Amino acid sequence: MKHQEKLSEENLTELNEFVLLDFADIPHLQWFLFGLFLVIYIVIVMGNGTIFMITKLDTTLQTPMYFFLGNFSFLEICYVSVTIPRLLINLGTQRRRISLTACATQMCFVLMLGATECLLLAVMAYDRYVAICNPLRYPLVMNQKVCIQLVAGSWISGIPIQIGQTCQIFSLSFCGSSQINHFFCDIPPILKQACGDIFVNEMLVYIVAVLFVTVPFLLILFSYTKIIYTIFKLCSTRNRAKAFSTCSSHLMVVMLFYGTGMVTYLRPKTSHSSGTDKMLSLFYTIVTPMFNPMIYSLRNQDVIMALRKILCK
Protein backbone atom coordinates (compact mmCIF):
# COMPACT_ATOMS: atom_id res chain seq x y z
CA MET A 1 0.00 0.00 0.00
CA LYS A 2 2.80 2.40 0.96
CA HIS A 3 4.65 1.46 -2.21
CA GLN A 4 1.60 2.36 -4.36
CA GLU A 5 1.23 5.72 -2.56
CA LYS A 6 4.92 6.44 -3.18
CA LEU A 7 4.55 5.66 -6.91
CA SER A 8 1.50 7.91 -7.23
CA GLU A 9 3.39 10.76 -5.52
CA GLU A 10 6.30 10.28 -7.92
CA ASN A 11 3.94 10.32 -10.91
CA LEU A 12 2.53 13.68 -9.76
CA THR A 13 5.98 15.22 -9.35
CA GLU A 14 6.37 18.07 -11.81
CA LEU A 15 9.11 17.44 -14.38
CA ASN A 16 11.88 19.95 -15.07
CA GLU A 17 13.62 18.02 -17.86
CA PHE A 18 12.91 15.42 -20.53
CA VAL A 19 14.81 12.44 -21.91
CA LEU A 20 14.79 12.28 -25.72
CA LEU A 21 14.95 8.58 -26.48
CA ASP A 22 15.48 9.13 -30.24
CA PHE A 23 16.78 5.69 -31.38
CA ALA A 24 17.70 4.22 -27.99
CA ASP A 25 15.61 1.12 -28.77
CA ILE A 26 18.35 -0.06 -31.17
CA PRO A 27 21.52 0.28 -29.01
CA HIS A 28 23.69 -1.84 -31.34
CA LEU A 29 23.23 0.74 -34.16
CA GLN A 30 24.06 3.93 -32.23
CA TRP A 31 27.42 4.63 -33.90
CA PHE A 32 26.10 3.61 -37.32
CA LEU A 33 23.21 6.08 -36.88
CA PHE A 34 25.64 8.75 -35.67
CA GLY A 35 27.70 8.34 -38.85
CA LEU A 36 24.59 8.20 -41.05
CA PHE A 37 23.03 11.39 -39.66
CA LEU A 38 26.40 13.17 -39.73
CA VAL A 39 26.76 12.35 -43.44
CA ILE A 40 23.14 13.42 -44.07
CA TYR A 41 23.74 16.73 -42.26
CA ILE A 42 26.88 17.43 -44.28
CA VAL A 43 25.05 16.57 -47.54
CA ILE A 44 22.14 18.87 -46.63
CA VAL A 45 24.40 21.80 -45.69
CA MET A 46 26.66 21.39 -48.75
CA GLY A 47 23.79 20.78 -51.21
CA ASN A 48 21.58 23.63 -50.05
CA GLY A 49 24.62 25.86 -49.46
CA THR A 50 25.72 25.30 -53.07
CA ILE A 51 22.30 26.30 -54.43
CA PHE A 52 22.23 29.36 -52.16
CA MET A 53 25.72 30.35 -53.33
CA ILE A 54 25.12 29.98 -57.08
CA THR A 55 21.83 31.91 -56.93
CA LYS A 56 23.80 34.82 -55.44
CA LEU A 57 26.93 34.60 -57.63
CA ASP A 58 25.61 33.75 -61.10
CA THR A 59 24.19 36.75 -62.98
CA THR A 60 21.88 34.56 -65.11
CA LEU A 61 20.09 33.41 -61.95
CA GLN A 62 19.21 36.93 -60.72
CA THR A 63 15.47 36.36 -61.25
CA PRO A 64 12.58 36.12 -58.74
CA MET A 65 12.35 32.32 -59.08
CA TYR A 66 16.00 31.81 -58.10
CA PHE A 67 15.82 34.54 -55.44
CA PHE A 68 13.09 32.48 -53.74
CA LEU A 69 15.02 29.25 -54.32
CA GLY A 70 18.14 30.71 -52.69
CA ASN A 71 16.13 31.77 -49.64
CA PHE A 72 14.48 28.36 -49.51
CA SER A 73 17.87 26.61 -49.53
CA PHE A 74 19.15 28.85 -46.72
CA LEU A 75 15.98 28.09 -44.76
CA GLU A 76 16.58 24.34 -45.13
CA ILE A 77 20.07 24.70 -43.64
CA CYS A 78 18.62 26.57 -40.65
CA TYR A 79 15.83 24.02 -40.29
CA VAL A 80 18.05 20.94 -40.03
CA SER A 81 20.55 22.78 -37.82
CA VAL A 82 17.90 23.00 -35.10
CA THR A 83 17.39 19.21 -34.88
CA ILE A 84 20.31 17.18 -36.27
CA PRO A 85 23.20 18.58 -34.14
CA ARG A 86 21.24 17.79 -30.96
CA LEU A 87 20.50 14.29 -32.30
CA LEU A 88 24.21 13.77 -33.04
CA ILE A 89 25.13 14.83 -29.49
CA ASN A 90 22.57 12.39 -28.05
CA LEU A 91 23.85 9.52 -30.20
CA GLY A 92 27.50 10.31 -29.53
CA THR A 93 27.34 10.86 -25.76
CA GLN A 94 24.30 8.68 -24.92
CA ARG A 95 23.21 11.52 -22.59
CA ARG A 96 19.72 12.28 -23.75
CA ARG A 97 18.52 14.69 -21.08
CA ILE A 98 17.22 18.09 -22.18
CA SER A 99 15.97 20.88 -19.91
CA LEU A 100 12.51 22.39 -20.37
CA THR A 101 14.09 25.66 -21.50
CA ALA A 102 16.26 23.97 -24.14
CA CYS A 103 13.30 21.84 -25.24
CA ALA A 104 11.04 24.92 -25.56
CA THR A 105 13.73 26.78 -27.52
CA GLN A 106 14.17 23.89 -29.94
CA MET A 107 10.40 23.52 -30.43
CA CYS A 108 9.98 27.26 -31.00
CA PHE A 109 12.63 27.35 -33.74
CA VAL A 110 11.27 24.19 -35.40
CA LEU A 111 7.77 25.71 -35.47
CA MET A 112 8.94 29.12 -36.70
CA LEU A 113 11.09 27.67 -39.48
CA GLY A 114 8.39 25.15 -40.40
CA ALA A 115 5.84 27.99 -40.74
CA THR A 116 8.33 29.95 -42.85
CA GLU A 117 8.79 26.94 -45.13
CA CYS A 118 5.02 26.58 -45.65
CA LEU A 119 4.65 30.26 -46.51
CA LEU A 120 7.73 30.32 -48.74
CA LEU A 121 6.49 27.31 -50.72
CA ALA A 122 3.21 29.19 -51.25
CA VAL A 123 5.14 32.28 -52.41
CA MET A 124 7.13 30.14 -54.87
CA ALA A 125 3.86 28.72 -56.24
CA TYR A 126 2.48 32.24 -56.67
CA ASP A 127 5.65 33.22 -58.54
CA ARG A 128 5.17 30.32 -60.99
CA TYR A 129 1.48 31.22 -61.33
CA VAL A 130 2.27 34.79 -62.38
CA ALA A 131 5.13 33.67 -64.67
CA ILE A 132 2.99 31.14 -66.58
CA CYS A 133 -0.53 32.59 -66.38
CA ASN A 134 0.38 36.30 -66.72
CA PRO A 135 3.81 36.35 -68.43
CA LEU A 136 3.47 39.89 -69.81
CA ARG A 137 2.78 41.33 -66.35
CA TYR A 138 5.39 39.17 -64.61
CA PRO A 139 8.26 41.76 -64.53
CA LEU A 140 5.86 44.37 -63.15
CA VAL A 141 4.13 42.16 -60.56
CA MET A 142 7.23 40.32 -59.32
CA ASN A 143 9.60 43.27 -59.07
CA GLN A 144 12.50 43.32 -56.61
CA LYS A 145 10.60 45.21 -53.91
CA VAL A 146 7.66 42.77 -53.99
CA CYS A 147 10.00 39.75 -53.88
CA ILE A 148 11.81 41.10 -50.81
CA GLN A 149 8.48 41.86 -49.10
CA LEU A 150 7.15 38.35 -49.81
CA VAL A 151 10.30 36.70 -48.45
CA ALA A 152 10.45 38.98 -45.40
CA GLY A 153 6.76 38.30 -44.72
CA SER A 154 7.37 34.54 -44.93
CA TRP A 155 10.22 34.75 -42.41
CA ILE A 156 8.54 37.14 -39.98
CA SER A 157 4.82 36.20 -40.03
CA GLY A 158 5.11 33.03 -37.96
CA ILE A 159 7.45 34.36 -35.27
CA PRO A 160 4.95 35.94 -32.79
CA ILE A 161 2.35 33.18 -33.21
CA GLN A 162 4.82 30.31 -32.80
CA ILE A 163 6.50 31.97 -29.80
CA GLY A 164 3.04 32.36 -28.26
CA GLN A 165 2.15 28.73 -29.00
CA THR A 166 5.41 27.47 -27.49
CA CYS A 167 4.93 29.57 -24.32
CA GLN A 168 1.35 28.33 -24.05
CA ILE A 169 2.44 24.67 -24.32
CA PHE A 170 5.31 25.01 -21.83
CA SER A 171 3.13 26.87 -19.33
CA LEU A 172 1.49 23.47 -18.71
CA SER A 173 2.63 21.19 -15.89
CA PHE A 174 4.37 17.98 -16.97
CA CYS A 175 4.25 14.84 -14.87
CA GLY A 176 4.58 11.09 -15.23
CA SER A 177 7.35 9.66 -17.36
CA SER A 178 10.07 12.08 -18.47
CA GLN A 179 10.93 9.91 -21.47
CA ILE A 180 9.92 11.11 -24.95
CA ASN A 181 10.12 8.60 -27.80
CA HIS A 182 11.27 11.19 -30.34
CA PHE A 183 14.50 12.75 -31.61
CA PHE A 184 13.50 16.40 -31.01
CA CYS A 185 10.94 18.38 -29.00
CA ASP A 186 7.83 18.26 -31.17
CA ILE A 187 4.27 19.18 -30.16
CA PRO A 188 2.52 15.74 -30.14
CA PRO A 189 5.02 13.94 -27.84
CA ILE A 190 5.34 16.93 -25.49
CA LEU A 191 1.57 17.27 -25.06
CA LYS A 192 1.41 13.58 -24.13
CA GLN A 193 3.48 14.39 -21.02
CA ALA A 194 1.19 17.22 -19.88
CA CYS A 195 -0.98 16.87 -16.77
CA GLY A 196 -4.69 17.66 -16.68
CA ASP A 197 -7.02 18.71 -19.48
CA ILE A 198 -5.21 19.82 -22.64
CA PHE A 199 -8.26 20.17 -24.93
CA VAL A 200 -7.77 23.95 -25.35
CA ASN A 201 -4.09 23.45 -26.15
CA GLU A 202 -4.89 20.82 -28.77
CA MET A 203 -7.50 23.09 -30.39
CA LEU A 204 -4.98 25.93 -30.58
CA VAL A 205 -2.46 23.56 -32.19
CA TYR A 206 -5.07 22.63 -34.83
CA ILE A 207 -5.93 26.31 -35.46
CA VAL A 208 -2.29 27.28 -35.94
CA ALA A 209 -1.70 24.20 -38.14
CA VAL A 210 -4.66 25.16 -40.33
CA LEU A 211 -3.37 28.74 -40.56
CA PHE A 212 0.23 27.86 -41.48
CA VAL A 213 -0.18 24.48 -43.17
CA THR A 214 -3.64 24.11 -44.69
CA VAL A 215 -4.16 27.70 -45.94
CA PRO A 216 -0.77 27.88 -47.79
CA PHE A 217 -1.40 24.38 -49.16
CA LEU A 218 -4.80 25.49 -50.55
CA LEU A 219 -3.14 28.55 -52.13
CA ILE A 220 -0.56 26.26 -53.75
CA LEU A 221 -3.33 23.95 -54.95
CA PHE A 222 -5.25 26.88 -56.46
CA SER A 223 -2.09 28.24 -58.13
CA TYR A 224 -1.22 24.91 -59.72
CA THR A 225 -4.79 24.27 -60.85
CA LYS A 226 -4.61 27.53 -62.81
CA ILE A 227 -1.07 26.74 -64.00
CA ILE A 228 -1.98 23.27 -65.31
CA TYR A 229 -5.08 24.68 -67.04
CA THR A 230 -2.94 27.36 -68.72
CA ILE A 231 -0.23 24.86 -69.74
CA PHE A 232 -2.75 22.60 -71.49
CA LYS A 233 -3.95 25.59 -73.49
CA LEU A 234 -0.46 26.16 -74.93
CA CYS A 235 -0.19 25.21 -78.60
CA SER A 236 3.53 24.41 -78.66
CA THR A 237 4.55 21.03 -77.22
CA ARG A 238 8.01 22.46 -76.48
CA ASN A 239 6.58 25.36 -74.44
CA ARG A 240 4.28 22.94 -72.62
CA ALA A 241 7.21 20.67 -71.69
CA LYS A 242 9.30 23.66 -70.54
CA ALA A 243 6.46 24.95 -68.33
CA PHE A 244 5.92 21.51 -66.79
CA SER A 245 9.67 21.16 -66.16
CA THR A 246 9.75 24.52 -64.37
CA CYS A 247 6.93 23.56 -62.02
CA SER A 248 7.55 19.84 -61.45
CA SER A 249 10.50 20.34 -59.07
CA HIS A 250 8.51 22.65 -56.82
CA LEU A 251 5.53 20.28 -56.87
CA MET A 252 7.69 17.34 -55.76
CA VAL A 253 9.05 19.34 -52.81
CA VAL A 254 5.52 20.47 -51.86
CA MET A 255 4.21 16.88 -51.86
CA LEU A 256 7.14 15.60 -49.77
CA PHE A 257 6.92 18.37 -47.15
CA TYR A 258 3.17 18.91 -46.91
CA GLY A 259 2.25 15.23 -47.12
CA THR A 260 4.11 14.29 -43.94
CA GLY A 261 3.53 17.63 -42.16
CA MET A 262 -0.26 17.55 -42.58
CA VAL A 263 -0.50 13.91 -41.47
CA THR A 264 1.58 14.70 -38.36
CA TYR A 265 -0.30 17.78 -37.12
CA LEU A 266 -3.83 17.42 -38.52
CA ARG A 267 -4.67 13.74 -38.04
CA PRO A 268 -6.92 12.75 -35.06
CA LYS A 269 -5.28 12.33 -31.67
CA THR A 270 -6.44 8.68 -31.46
CA SER A 271 -4.27 7.75 -34.46
CA HIS A 272 -1.06 9.19 -32.96
CA SER A 273 1.69 6.75 -32.04
CA SER A 274 5.27 7.52 -31.03
CA GLY A 275 6.83 5.39 -33.76
CA THR A 276 4.67 6.85 -36.53
CA ASP A 277 5.23 10.45 -35.36
CA LYS A 278 8.98 9.85 -35.31
CA MET A 279 9.08 8.40 -38.84
CA LEU A 280 6.89 11.17 -40.28
CA SER A 281 9.05 13.81 -38.58
CA LEU A 282 12.16 12.26 -40.14
CA PHE A 283 10.65 12.93 -43.56
CA TYR A 284 9.73 16.59 -43.21
CA THR A 285 12.71 17.62 -41.04
CA ILE A 286 15.57 15.59 -42.57
CA VAL A 287 14.68 13.61 -45.72
CA THR A 288 12.97 16.50 -47.57
CA PRO A 289 15.84 19.00 -47.01
CA MET A 290 18.29 16.31 -48.19
CA PHE A 291 16.46 15.70 -51.48
CA ASN A 292 15.63 19.35 -52.25
CA PRO A 293 19.01 20.23 -53.83
CA MET A 294 18.89 17.07 -55.97
CA ILE A 295 15.31 17.76 -57.08
CA TYR A 296 16.05 21.37 -58.02
CA SER A 297 19.48 20.86 -59.58
CA LEU A 298 19.01 17.61 -61.52
CA ARG A 299 15.78 18.89 -63.10
CA ASN A 300 16.99 22.42 -63.81
CA GLN A 301 19.40 23.13 -66.65
CA ASP A 302 20.00 26.74 -65.51
CA VAL A 303 21.25 25.56 -62.11
CA ILE A 304 23.45 22.87 -63.71
CA MET A 305 25.00 25.38 -66.13
CA ALA A 306 25.62 27.93 -63.34
CA LEU A 307 27.29 25.23 -61.22
CA ARG A 308 29.52 24.19 -64.12
CA LYS A 309 30.60 27.81 -64.68
CA ILE A 310 31.53 28.26 -61.03
CA LEU A 311 33.42 24.94 -60.94
CA CYS A 312 35.32 25.84 -64.12
CA LYS A 313 36.39 29.15 -62.61
Side-chain angles (χ1 to χ4, degrees), residues 85-260:
R86 179 82 202 193
L87 174 60
L88 291 174
I89 291 169
N90 290 349
L91 289 169
T93 63
Q94 298 298 302
R95 296 181 62 189
R96 295 180 164 85
R97 296 184 181 275
I98 183 170
S99 67
L100 288 187
T101 304
C103 191
T105 303
Q106 187 185 52
M107 178 189 284
C108 188
F109 275 101
V110 167
L111 294 177
M112 286 191 298
L113 294 170
T116 301
E117 183 154 350
C118 291
L119 296 172
L120 200 52
L121 284 170
V123 166
M124 292 167 79
Y126 174 69
D127 171 67
R128 292 299 84 209
Y129 163 75
V130 178
I132 292 171
C133 299
N134 297 289
L136 297 178
R137 296 187 61 220
Y138 182 71
L140 180 66
V141 174
M142 301 303 292
N143 58 63
Q144 187 179 19
K145 183 181 177 182
V146 170
C147 291
I148 292 171
Q149 288 173 342
L150 287 170
V151 168
S154 299
W155 279 92
I156 295 168
S157 298
I159 292 176
I161 295 174
Q162 300 298 1
I163 289 175
Q165 179 168 241
T166 304
C167 292
Q168 178 253 340
I169 288 171
F170 279 86
S171 64
L172 297 167
S173 295
F174 300 99
C175 53
S177 174
S178 63
Q179 296 182 345
I180 297 175
N181 188 17
H182 214 292
F183 63 94
F184 72 96
C185 292
D186 202 6
I187 292 176
I190 295 297
L191 283 180
K192 284 181 182 178
Q193 310 301 320
C195 307
D197 186 13
I198 57 169
F199 176 77
V200 174
N201 305 84
E202 289 175 335
M203 285 302 102
L204 288 172
V205 170
Y206 277 111
I207 291 168
V208 173
V210 167
L211 183 64
F212 285 103
V213 180
T214 308
V215 172
F217 180 72
L218 291 175
L219 290 172
I220 293 169
L221 202 61
F222 173 77
S223 297
Y224 274 103
T225 302
K226 298 284 287 182
I227 287 168
I228 292 167
Y229 176 72
T230 304
I231 288 173
F232 278 119
K233 284 170 62 180
L234 295 174
C235 298
S236 170
T237 307
R238 184 179 177 184
N239 289 341
R240 201 180 298 168
K242 186 178 179 182
F244 267 123
S245 177
T246 305
C247 300
S248 59
S249 300
H250 183 249
L251 266 176
M252 288 173 70
V253 172
V254 167
M255 286 188 289
L256 273 171
F257 180 76
Y258 273 98
T260 51

Side-chain angles (χ1 to χ4, degrees), residues 16-153:
N16 54 21
E17 65 178 11
F18 291 121
V19 178
L20 292 170
L21 294 179
D22 50 72
F23 303 97
D25 53 335
I26 41 176
H28 56 288
L29 293 177
Q30 297 299 289
W31 285 108
F32 169 75
L33 290 171
F34 177 86
L36 176 65
F37 284 114
L38 179 61
V39 170
I40 288 173
Y41 185 57
I42 292 169
V43 168
I44 291 171
V45 172
M46 289 184 66
N48 286 285
T50 300
I51 289 182
F52 176 75
M53 180 184 68
I54 62 176
T55 56
K56 299 299 177 188
L57 296 179
D58 195 279
T59 53
T60 61
L61 300 184
Q62 304 303 307
T63 63
M65 184 175 82
Y66 294 109
F67 173 69
F68 295 134
L69 180 57
N71 273 274
F72 187 73
S73 296
F74 177 70
L75 171 66
E76 295 291 55
I77 294 172
C78 297
Y79 198 37
V80 296
S81 296
V82 177
T83 55
I84 297 184
R86 179 82 202 193
L87 174 60
L88 291 174
I89 291 169
N90 290 349
L91 289 169
T93 63
Q94 298 298 302
R95 296 181 62 189
R96 295 180 164 85
R97 296 184 181 275
I98 183 170
S99 67
L100 288 187
T101 304
C103 191
T105 303
Q106 187 185 52
M107 178 189 284
C108 188
F109 275 101
V110 167
L111 294 177
M112 286 191 298
L113 294 170
T116 301
E117 183 154 350
C118 291
L119 296 172
L120 200 52
L121 284 170
V123 166
M124 292 167 79
Y126 174 69
D127 171 67
R128 292 299 84 209
Y129 163 75
V130 178
I132 292 171
C133 299
N134 297 289
L136 297 178
R137 296 187 61 220
Y138 182 71
L140 180 66
V141 174
M142 301 303 292
N143 58 63
Q144 187 179 19
K145 183 181 177 182
V146 170
C147 291
I148 292 171
Q149 288 173 342
L150 287 170
V151 168

Side-chain angles (χ1 to χ4, degrees), residues 6-16 174-176 195:
K6 189 177 180 182
L7 283 175
S8 62
E9 284 176 11
E10 285 177 358
N11 288 337
L12 292 171
T13 303
E14 193 170 325
L15 301 175
N16 54 21
F174 300 99
C175 53
C195 307

